[in-house]
């Protein structure tokens, strides 16, 4: 099994929107990661980065309110389909797309992978269609609500550690809080060891290691519980944690075409 890391440009944002109460008003540029896992039984994406439309007209696609505080910088070469092509992977080869959640910088490539089963939480799909005003700008219905897709909607803690291929190598961990249906992906890599992709359940290592809340969250108690659950996987079980938007930690990894196995 191989894990490839990709980056769909950056978002120019503000530090206090990542870590609540810290770095107020400070400019902060964060990467937009997505991942490909090549398993003997399929090619799996974890998140898909921004929509291609962002490369053409970001204000039109994301809206001026969002762009004011979260300004995406991406070229069309950064789009998920273009980056997979550099590895020779065609969209039709993707068998599963697992979403950490359906925010606009994660679900932008939905619909490109016609043979895939798409995994999100039932609670996430519901919320994404009628979000609270504070999160309304972060969901773009045109991005995630494409026709004729095969969705597999997971049911919270009843489906916790959902085993994608039934061999224990790829498990979806329920880590709500940032959004109602946020989830992480646990990958059992042979050489690199167990690795957890957290999506926005943990934005940065500062949040992983220190008691600071993320700037944007749906439910405070669930957010803290999920961070502690992930921290325990790291401390007690030696799981490597790849956080969602950490500009410093991200530079320590090798991006595709390099891979980890
Ligand atoms: Zn998010």
């Amino acid at each position: 099994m191989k894990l490839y890391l990709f980056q769909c440009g950056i978002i120019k944002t503000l530090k206090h929107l990542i870590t609540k109460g810290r770095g107020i008003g400070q400019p902060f540029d964060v990467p937009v990661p997505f991942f490909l896992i090549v398993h003997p039984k399929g090619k799996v994406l974890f998140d898909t980065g921004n929509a291609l439309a962002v490369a053409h007209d970001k204000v039109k696609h994301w809206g001026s309110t969002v762009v004011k505080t979260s300004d995406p910088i991406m070229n069309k070469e950064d789009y998920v389909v273009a980056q997979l092509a550099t590895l020779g992977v065609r969209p039709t080869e993707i068998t599963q797309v697992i979403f950490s959640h359906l925010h606009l910088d994660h679900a932008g490539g939905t619909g490109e992978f016609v043979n895939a089963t798409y995994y999100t939480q039932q609670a996430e799909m519901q919320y994404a269609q009628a979000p609270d005003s504070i999160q309304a700008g972060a969901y773009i219905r045109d991005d995630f609500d494409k026709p004729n897709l095969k969705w597999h909607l997971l049911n919270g803690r009843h489906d916790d550690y959902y085993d994608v291929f039934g061999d224990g190598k790829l498990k979806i961990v329920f880590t709500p809080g940032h959004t109602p249906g946020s989830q992480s992906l646990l990958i059992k890599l042979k050489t690199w060891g167990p690795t957890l992709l957290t999506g926005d359940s943990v934005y940065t290592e500062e949040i992983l290691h220190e008691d600071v809340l993320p700037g944007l969250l749906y439910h405070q108690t669930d957010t803290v519980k999920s961070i502690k659950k992930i921290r325990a996987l790291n401390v007690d079980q030696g799981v490597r944690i790849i956080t969602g938007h950490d500009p410093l930690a991200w530079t320590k990894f090798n991006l595709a075409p390099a891979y980890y196995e």
Side-chain angles (χ1 to χ4, degrees):
M1 197 163 59
K2 291 176 181 170
L3 169 66
Y4 294 88
L5 284 61
F6 298 88
Q7 184 180 335
C8 182
I10 62 163
I11 294 176
K12 295 180 97 58
T13 185
L14 299 166
K15 180 66 163 53
H16 71 268
L17 296 178
I18 299 293
T19 50
K20 199 171 192 160
R22 292 189 183 177
I24 293 166
Q26 238 174 57
F28 198 60
D29 295 352
V30 302
V32 177
F34 66 91
F35 304 85
L36 171 70
I37 299 106
V38 179
H39 179 281
K41 286 188 188 157
K43 292 189 171 72
V44 182
L45 282 174
F46 184 70
D47 289 340
T48 59
N50 306 334
L52 182 59
V54 174
H56 299 304
D57 191 342
K58 58 191 173 188
V59 173
K60 186 174 172 207
H61 197 67
W62 276 21
S64 56
T65 312
V66 172
V67 169
K68 217 173 279 169
T69 55
S70 299
D71 182 8
I73 309 295
M74 85 175 266
N75 301 315
K76 59 185 188 345
E77 294 77 23
D78 297 325
Y79 186 49
V80 57
V81 173
Q83 293 211 58
L84 289 176
T86 66
L87 292 185
V89 175
R90 293 185 306 274
T92 49
E93 292 177 66
I94 301 298
T95 49
Q96 281 90 0
V97 179
I98 300 169
F99 285 122
S100 64
H101 60 311
L102 296 175
H103 276 170
L104 73 187
D105 53 332
H106 297 261
T110 311
E112 295 282 8
F113 311 100
V114 293
N115 295 326
T117 301
Y118 287 77
Y119 290 78
T120 190
Q121 295 282 332
Q122 173 93 50
E124 183 71 14
M125 184 54 92
Q126 234 162 24
Y127 185 71
Q129 295 184 4
D132 297 318
S133 58
I134 190 153
Q135 293 221 5
Y139 290 101
I140 296 175
R141 191 156 187 165
D142 279 353
D143 279 359
F144 66 81
D145 200 1
K146 305 276 192 192
N148 305 319
L149 295 184
K150 210 187 324 157
W151 287 94
H152 184 135
L153 300 178
L154 296 170
N155 189 10
R157 52 196 169 80
H158 302 288
D159 281 328
D160 204 2
Y161 289 90
Y162 180 86
D163 192 338
V164 178
F165 289 110
D167 60 0
K169 285 186 172 168
L170 223 55
K171 289 182 176 175
I172 300 173
V173 186
F174 186 47
T175 52
H178 172 65
T179 64
S182 286
Q183 52 189 12
S184 304
L185 186 64
L186 182 58
I187 312 168
K188 293 274 169 68
L189 290 168
K190 209 195 272 176
T191 307
W192 217 34
T195 300
L196 188 80
L197 313 177
T198 70
D200 290 357
S201 295
V202 184
Y203 275 148
T204 62
E205 297 209 342
E206 185 179 355
I207 290 171
L208 179 65
H209 299 300
E210 299 173 30
D211 289 326
V212 55
L213 287 170
L216 177 66
L217 52 79
Y218 165 76
H219 192 289
Q220 188 161 313
T221 309
D222 283 352
T223 299
V224 173
K225 277 188 188 164
S226 291
I227 292 168
K228 287 189 171 169
K229 181 176 181 175
I230 290 166
R231 206 179 274 170
L233 285 173
N234 178 235
V235 173
D236 302 339
Q237 297 182 40
V239 174
R240 183 193 306 274
I241 309 294
I242 302 186
T243 56
H245 290 292
D246 192 321
L248 187 63
W250 186 246
T251 61
K252 295 174 186 157
F253 303 119
N254 297 317
L255 304 190
Y259 57 83
Y260 298 95
E261 58 185 342

